[in-house]
Amino acid sequence: MIELLQEELFQLALVAALLVGLCAPAVGTFIVQRRLALLGDGIGHVALTGVALGFLTGTAPVLTAVIVSIIGAVAIELVRARGRTSGDVALALLFYGGIAGGVMLMGIAPGGSNAKLNSYLFGAIASVTPEDIWVIAMLAVAVIGVVVVFGRELFVLCQDEEMARASGLPVRFLSLLIAITAALTVVIAMRVVGLLLVSALMVIPVATSQQLTRGFRTTMGLAMLFGVLASVGGLLASTFSTKVPPGAAIVLLALAGFVLALGVGKFVRRGRTQESSVTDRPQLRVEEVA
């Protein structure tokens, strides 16, 4: 294990796994709370078009993926807010258009091949370069910065949009901020778990944490811990066995944690029910946002 830590490729992959494990559940907490769990999937499909556009224009695929993902995220939020199309239909449009656009652009790109999309569709953490780490790190700082600075306002928005509007909060701005932050998170994670699986790392750790906690901040913190454990565990599994795909291993470990939390959560909730019946006092649920 010590020899493994001294290898540069493993060090780069480990840093990428840690950053993704922290960012994806942090943003996912707001997405799940707002009942937009499939938003990451929709943006992931749109990001595929951005990746293919990078190959077509000869520029960095990560950069074009960021731009296209942000445009797609903003578009779906505007459509959802105006109510012209329901949220699930707008997500479906992103799904189909993103995949079709990515395959089409890659097909007409000079020397393009759909096989080149595989590392972005399913992740290729072992091939992460120092340049990738710098990009991932900068995007991760931006994502965590948004969560830290606007965490309270985003919590109110995700709990009740009408209450947020009545409180004078800039609902449109905050809604767009969530969408853009989700887009950045998708791009951060696409080299680790892949665009087709990125949404799982944004949702599953949060769902796991919700089985064990009730407070918002506690849920987010525990979800980030679960995300890191799944990311690092999947990386180690793929390192010790070359036949294990890292992206799939990360998601399956996250799912295993959710199944385990289901059983543990029953005992946790039973203990809380008994304690509540004894104390007969209301529980404070927003302590974590203060």
Side-chain angles (χ1 to χ4, degrees):
M1 185 65 183
I2 296 179
E3 296 179 356
L4 187 63
L5 290 172
Q6 294 175 347
E7 296 182 8
E8 182 181 4
L9 288 178
F10 181 79
Q11 292 174 355
L12 295 175
L14 181 61
V15 172
L18 289 172
L19 291 175
V20 171
L22 287 172
C23 292
V27 177
T29 305
F30 296 107
I31 293 177
V32 171
Q33 190 71 25
R34 210 176 185 197
R35 295 176 177 83
L36 290 173
L38 292 179
L39 179 62
D41 267 329
I43 297 175
H45 286 67
V46 171
L48 183 63
T49 298
V51 170
L53 184 62
F55 284 105
L56 178 65
T57 58
T59 56
V62 174
L63 177 60
T64 52
V66 169
I67 297 173
V68 174
S69 297
I70 290 177
I71 293 174
V74 170
I76 189 174
E77 175 56 35
L78 292 178
V79 170
R80 186 198 65 81
R82 292 179 180 178
R84 295 178 181 175
T85 309
S86 61
D88 58 338
V89 173
L91 281 173
L93 295 176
L94 283 178
F95 268 61
Y96 307 138
I99 286 288
V103 174
M104 176 65 72
L105 292 178
M106 182 57 74
I108 64 177
S113 167
N114 288 335
K116 292 183 179 180
L117 293 177
N118 285 342
S119 62
Y120 295 93
L121 285 172
F122 303 104
I125 191 172
S127 63
V128 172
T129 65
E131 291 75 17
D132 291 332
I133 292 298
W134 278 111
V135 174
I136 291 174
M138 288 188 292
L139 294 177
V141 169
V143 170
I144 297 299
V146 168
V147 172
V148 171
V149 175
F150 297 97
R152 182 187 294 271
E153 291 82 1
L154 294 177
F155 168 80
V156 176
L157 173 67
C158 294
Q159 285 291 97
D160 191 329
E161 185 170 321
E162 294 303 323
M163 179 187 298
R165 185 174 285 105
S167 301
L169 293 177
V171 171
R172 176 63 60 83
F173 167 76
L174 293 174
S175 298
L176 291 174
L177 188 62
I178 291 178
I180 293 173
T181 306
L184 295 179
T185 304
V186 167
V187 176
I188 292 172
M190 71 179 182
R191 296 289 285 162
V192 177
V193 295
L195 294 173
L196 294 183
L197 297 174
V198 61
S199 185
L201 199 56
M202 298 172 70
V203 174
I204 297 175
V206 179
T208 303
S209 181
Q210 287 178 335
Q211 303 301 315
L212 306 173
T213 63
R214 291 184 296 178
F216 188 80
R217 191 172 66 179
T218 307
T219 298
M220 178 183 292
L222 195 57
M224 294 170 72
L225 175 61
F226 289 150
V228 169
L229 291 177
S231 298
V232 175
L235 171 62
L236 292 175
S238 65
T239 301
F240 290 120
S241 176
T242 56
K243 294 183 179 181
V244 177
I250 290 172
V251 174
L252 289 176
L253 281 176
L255 283 171
F258 174 75
V259 173
L260 180 62
L262 280 176
V264 176
K266 292 181 180 179
F267 293 100
V268 173
R269 288 189 294 270
R270 183 181 302 173
R272 286 173 177 165
T273 301
Q274 294 175 351
E275 181 182 351
S276 178
S277 63
V278 172
T279 58
D280 195 25
R281 291 186 300 178
Q283 299 294 321
L284 183 61
R285 297 178 59 88
V286 195
E287 43 78 38
E288 2 342 94
V289 189

